[in-house]
């Protein structure tokens, strides 16, 4: 069974751990393809940083700091300390020494002219990932957030990382803009991965800043609409709270309530021009099931809090079973 997953960062990575066990995908024979969000990418100190691709790579490669939720395990921050001693800006982004090695290799290859998809494959080779990992696009797409400038009150656009990391999403977002997405093309293999899959999964990633940038790349939403594979999503909202991260601040900006049913309605049913065939929600949100089903979606509830890889595996198994049922 070929499975394609559109992925943000750590939430997706934790789901993928379960999916890999559930599918038996291996480095030698990967049956899972992950299309990663690159809207979070940022160039700092001349280094190209791809947080979501790296979260997936480090987590599935066994090199992630699982407590912190980003960056490398056994990390040190000597370079960052030295940058701060020079007063170098920005000083709000935590670059670890081991992590910097990834960005150095990536940036050198990009600057030599290799596309991000090839560079990502090269980096992933070191980690012997049990998946095929590809960015959504080789083109530059950056998520920017329109806020009211705290000093002047005038609207201003800042990079997503500045909003997320520096301001902890505390500045009210007026709008999210996926700069460059209108002229971007899907990376090689992305459309095929969606149209030839047996199932496409939207893991519990942030709908606004993780999945929306992927869907904003021309051709990807269309491929989802037309694939014969069932499209199954897992709610990132449990009991009116994001499972992790600050998705509530993002959803507010686009006028979507923080509930499993509202996010399902935001994606919509493929039967009526939307994206999903089925939506898996947490037991805590079982009372949302009726509203979701009324929108033409197959809905099931189960434990979706990935306290351990076993829970993620159960969710993955349920998604694969559902895909089987929806296909026959
Ligand atoms: N998140 C933070 O909250 N603080 C940081 O200093 C930080 C640094 C960082 C460095 C590399 C990297 O790949 C990710 C990093 N993240 C950091 C996570 C990242 O900002 C976001 O969580 C994702 O972009 C959202 O998916």
């Amino acid at each position: 069974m070929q499975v394609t997953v559109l992925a943000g960062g750590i939430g997706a990575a934790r789901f993928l751990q379960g999916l890999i066990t559930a599918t038996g995908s291996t480095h030698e024979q990967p049956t899972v393809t992950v299309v990663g969000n690159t809207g979070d990418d940022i160039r700092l100190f001349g280094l190209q940083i791809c947080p979501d691709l790296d979260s997936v790579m480090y987590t599935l490669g066994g090199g992630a700091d699982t407590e912190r939720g980003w960056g490398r395990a056994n990390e040190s921050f000597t370079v960052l300390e030295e940058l701060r001693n020079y007063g170098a800006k920005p000083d709000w982004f935590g670059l670890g020494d081991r992590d910097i090695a990834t960005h150095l290799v990536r940036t050198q290859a990009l600057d030599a002219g290799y596309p991000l998809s090839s560079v990502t494959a090269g980096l992933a080779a070191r980690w012997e990932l049990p998946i095929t990992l590809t960015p959504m696009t080789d083109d530059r797409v950056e998520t920017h957030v329109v806020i009211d400038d705290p000093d002047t009150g005038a609207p201003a656009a800042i990079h997503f990382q500045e909003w997320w990391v520096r301001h902890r999403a505390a500045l009210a977002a007026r709008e999210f803009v996926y700069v460059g997405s209108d002229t971007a093309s899907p990376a090689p293999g992305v459309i095929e991965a969606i149209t030839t899959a047996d199932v496409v999964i939207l893991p519990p990633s942030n709908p606004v800043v993780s999945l929306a940038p992927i869907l904003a790349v021309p051709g990807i939403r269309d491929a989802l609409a037309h694939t014969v594979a069932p499209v199954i999503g897992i709610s990132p909202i449990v009991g009116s709270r994001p499972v992790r991260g600050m998705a509530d601040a993002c959803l507010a900006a686009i006028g979507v309530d923080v509930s499993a049913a509202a996010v399902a309605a935001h994606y919509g049913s493929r039967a009526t021009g939307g994206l999903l065939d089925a939506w898996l929600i947490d037991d805590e949100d079982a009372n949302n099931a009726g509203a979701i089903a009324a929108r033409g979606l197959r809905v099931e509830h189960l434990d979706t809090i990935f306290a351990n890889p076993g829970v993620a595996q159960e969710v993955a198994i349920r998604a694969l079973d559902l895909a089987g049922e929806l296909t026959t």
Side-chain angles (χ1 to χ4, degrees):
M1 185 182 235
Q2 294 292 327
V3 185
T4 295
V5 180
L6 309 189
I10 190 64
R14 295 208 167 128
F15 168 73
L16 286 166
Q17 287 180 309
L19 182 67
I20 284 154
T21 321
T23 54
S25 184
T26 61
H27 178 58
E28 291 71 28
Q29 268 193 316
T31 53
V32 174
T33 298
V34 176
V35 177
N37 170 40
T38 56
D40 289 14
D41 294 10
I42 188 166
R43 197 169 266 245
L44 295 176
F45 305 111
L47 300 176
Q48 189 65 18
I49 301 158
C50 301
D52 283 358
L53 294 178
D54 288 349
S55 282
V56 171
M57 184 172 79
Y58 293 156
T59 303
L60 301 185
D65 186 310
T66 50
E67 292 255 305
R68 202 171 46 231
W70 53 268
R72 290 291 314 279
N74 303 317
E75 188 58 288
S76 55
F77 291 87
T78 309
V79 172
L80 186 68
E81 202 180 302
E82 287 298 307
L83 286 168
R84 285 182 177 155
N85 289 340
Y86 280 113
K89 302 283 183 213
D91 57 1
W92 44 261
F93 200 72
L95 284 174
D97 300 330
R98 288 179 191 273
D99 196 28
I100 285 173
T102 305
H103 311 318
L104 282 168
V105 175
R106 173 186 294 123
T107 309
Q108 189 179 37
L110 288 172
D111 290 353
Y114 293 95
L116 182 62
S117 49
S118 305
V119 177
T120 302
L123 291 170
R126 167 197 165 180
W127 297 95
E128 301 189 344
L129 299 185
I131 58 160
T132 303
L133 176 62
T134 181
M136 64 195 199
T137 179
D138 282 332
D139 300 316
R140 182 173 168 180
V141 175
E142 271 185 16
T143 301
H144 288 193
V145 189
V146 181
I147 46 118
D148 292 329
D149 187 304
D151 297 326
T152 64
I158 58 175
H159 192 285
F160 164 73
Q161 292 296 345
E162 182 170 3
W163 183 73
W164 189 258
V165 173
R166 183 181 187 191
H167 298 293
R168 311 303 315 168
L171 298 177
R174 283 170 173 256
E175 195 189 346
F176 292 87
V177 185
Y178 312 111
V179 182
S181 63
D182 46 349
T183 55
S185 304
V190 166
I191 297 299
E192 293 72 15
I194 294 170
T195 53
T196 63
D198 296 303
V199 53
V200 179
I201 299 181
L202 272 50
S205 292
N206 186 313
V208 187
V209 295
S210 297
L211 296 186
I214 303 178
L215 298 170
V217 175
I220 294 188
R221 186 178 275 272
D222 223 44
L224 275 175
H226 292 109
T227 182
V228 290
V231 180
I232 298 179
I234 297 138
S235 174
I237 303 297
V238 171
S240 304
R241 295 177 307 280
V243 182
R244 55 173 300 111
M246 299 169 277
D248 39 356
C250 304
L251 287 168
I254 61 162
V256 174
D257 283 349
V258 185
S259 76
V263 176
H266 166 67
Y267 286 132
S269 158
R270 286 215 296 167
T272 53
L275 288 173
L276 296 170
D277 293 302
W279 191 232
L280 294 180
I281 61 175
D282 192 79
D283 288 326
E284 201 181 321
D285 297 314
N287 60 357
N288 284 213
I292 297 166
R295 293 200 171 261
L297 288 169
R298 176 80 180 262
V299 56
E300 292 197 8
H301 61 87
L302 71 171
D303 179 9
T304 64
I305 307 276
F306 302 155
N308 57 66
V311 179
Q313 191 182 336
E314 287 303 317
V315 175
I317 289 170
R318 189 73 75 93
L320 298 175
D321 286 351
L322 254 179
E325 287 173 34
L326 290 166
T327 307
T328 50

